[in-house]
Amino acid sequence: MMRFCVIGYPIEHSLSPRIHNRAFRRLKIDAHYEAISVKPRDLGSFIRKFRKNFTGANVTIPYKERVIKFLDALSPEALAIGAVNCIVNRGGKLVGYNTDVYGVMEALRKVKRQNAKGKSVTKKLKVSFLKGEKVVVLGAGGAARAVVYGLKKAGAEVTILNRTLARAKKLAKEFKCSYMSLRGRLPVGRSNLAFDILINTTSVGMKAKVKNATPETPFPGLFAAFRAVQKKPVVMDIVYTPRMTKLLRDAKHAGCKIITGDKMFLAQAAKSFELWTGTRPKFMKL
Ligand code: ATR
């Protein structure tokens, strides 16, 4: 039996085992997927065990960047992004991929529209719709790297906001973006930072984290800030547990269009599954 896993810390929130095990069953693939909590000091020793016993893995918070030094090769995209969320074990050689970038672009491209009969249909936009769009990215970690890379490649103008300013500055320099400090609120109204899309890539709002008394939203002032703004941005969260995070609830309340985190999560999962098995599951859902 092939073994797969997702590693992270914390990992309890992950729905990856559920969706991948369901796909293995449906496709009659003899494999099992589990969530493994790996403490930061144990990452190296875990990867040694992984090399012997597992066929593939997903990597999540906080290891998307840190795992790279334990791998043997990277896909060109993972190398350009500087973060890995999917590992394939090819006979003992560990290759790192980034399927987050595919996931975020898929999530941004799919829009619900009403057809002529008034029925809601999903349409897929060309990535070129992002050309010249002003996008604010909250966070500067491994997930942010994939998001910023995808956006810049599509021609968007990106501003990175992060709690730790030095990290925002480093990422902004690398990908030719602007940056600012994330101090709990955006300078909407205070400056001319008008934007079309806001994407949260921080872990703020995640169920497992909220229990540990972290703030519930990376942007507490969102509702008040956007209520009076005429052209409201689209707000996307990459956190998917819960599906309706506080950030998205506030955004919806303020009249913004929202994109929930499950869209990116499912798309990156399908792409990872394809890299491991060569089969594209069409039915992945939560
Ligand atoms: P990942 O690789 O999954 O992106 P990460 O590299 O640990 O995980 O990055 C997590 C991101 O969430 C970072 O941008 C982090 O901000 P810092 O660089 O300041 O650490 C952000 N983050 C985590 N907890 C936060 C909190 N309580 N408030 C604001 N930002 C937070």
Side-chain angles (χ1 to χ4, degrees), residues 95-149:
V95 187
Y97 291 86
N98 192 299
T99 67
D100 276 343
V101 64
Y102 170 80
V104 69
M105 294 322 256
E106 284 292 291
L108 285 169
R109 288 171 64 194
K110 281 188 189 158
V111 289
K112 281 218 169 101
R113 293 261 167 83
Q114 303 254 312
N115 68 10
K117 290 180 185 152
K119 253 182 108 181
S120 173
V121 287
T122 304
K123 235 188 99 151
K124 226 169 167 180
L125 302 173
K126 292 205 173 96
V127 286
S128 55
F129 92 92
L130 285 163
K131 201 167 166 45
E133 290 287 278
K134 291 195 167 66
V135 186
V136 166
V137 173
L138 306 184
R145 286 187 158 269
V147 171
V148 169
Y149 170 88

Side-chain angles (χ1 to χ4, degrees), residues 24-174:
F24 288 137
R25 273 197 303 276
R26 300 243 330 226
L27 291 164
K28 298 197 170 31
I29 296 173
D30 186 22
H32 182 70
Y33 188 113
E34 61 200 285
I36 302 181
S37 172
V38 178
K39 292 208 170 91
R41 65 165 187 272
D42 298 332
L43 186 59
S45 59
F46 177 79
I47 296 293
R48 277 195 293 281
K49 270 190 246 157
F50 174 86
R51 203 184 282 275
K52 283 198 211 125
N53 303 313
F54 288 82
T55 303
N58 285 124
V59 180
T60 189
I61 286 177
Y63 300 131
K64 289 179 180 180
E65 291 164 84
R66 268 183 258 179
V67 78
I68 289 178
K69 67 169 184 274
F70 300 107
L71 305 179
D72 306 309
L74 295 181
S75 73
E77 236 175 11
L79 183 67
I81 292 167
V84 159
N85 74 307
C86 176
I87 305 172
V88 184
N89 187 351
R90 299 198 200 286
K93 182 179 171 188
L94 303 186
V95 187
Y97 291 86
N98 192 299
T99 67
D100 276 343
V101 64
Y102 170 80
V104 69
M105 294 322 256
E106 284 292 291
L108 285 169
R109 288 171 64 194
K110 281 188 189 158
V111 289
K112 281 218 169 101
R113 293 261 167 83
Q114 303 254 312
N115 68 10
K117 290 180 185 152
K119 253 182 108 181
S120 173
V121 287
T122 304
K123 235 188 99 151
K124 226 169 167 180
L125 302 173
K126 292 205 173 96
V127 286
S128 55
F129 92 92
L130 285 163
K131 201 167 166 45
E133 290 287 278
K134 291 195 167 66
V135 186
V136 166
V137 173
L138 306 184
R145 286 187 158 269
V147 171
V148 169
Y149 170 88
L151 289 168
K152 285 297 290 187
K153 206 171 157 205
E157 279 178 38
V158 180
T159 304
I160 299 163
L161 273 71
N162 197 46
R163 177 179 61 179
T164 310
L165 190 63
R167 225 175 159 193
K169 186 176 176 181
K170 185 172 172 284
L171 188 59
K173 257 184 123 172
E174 228 175 291

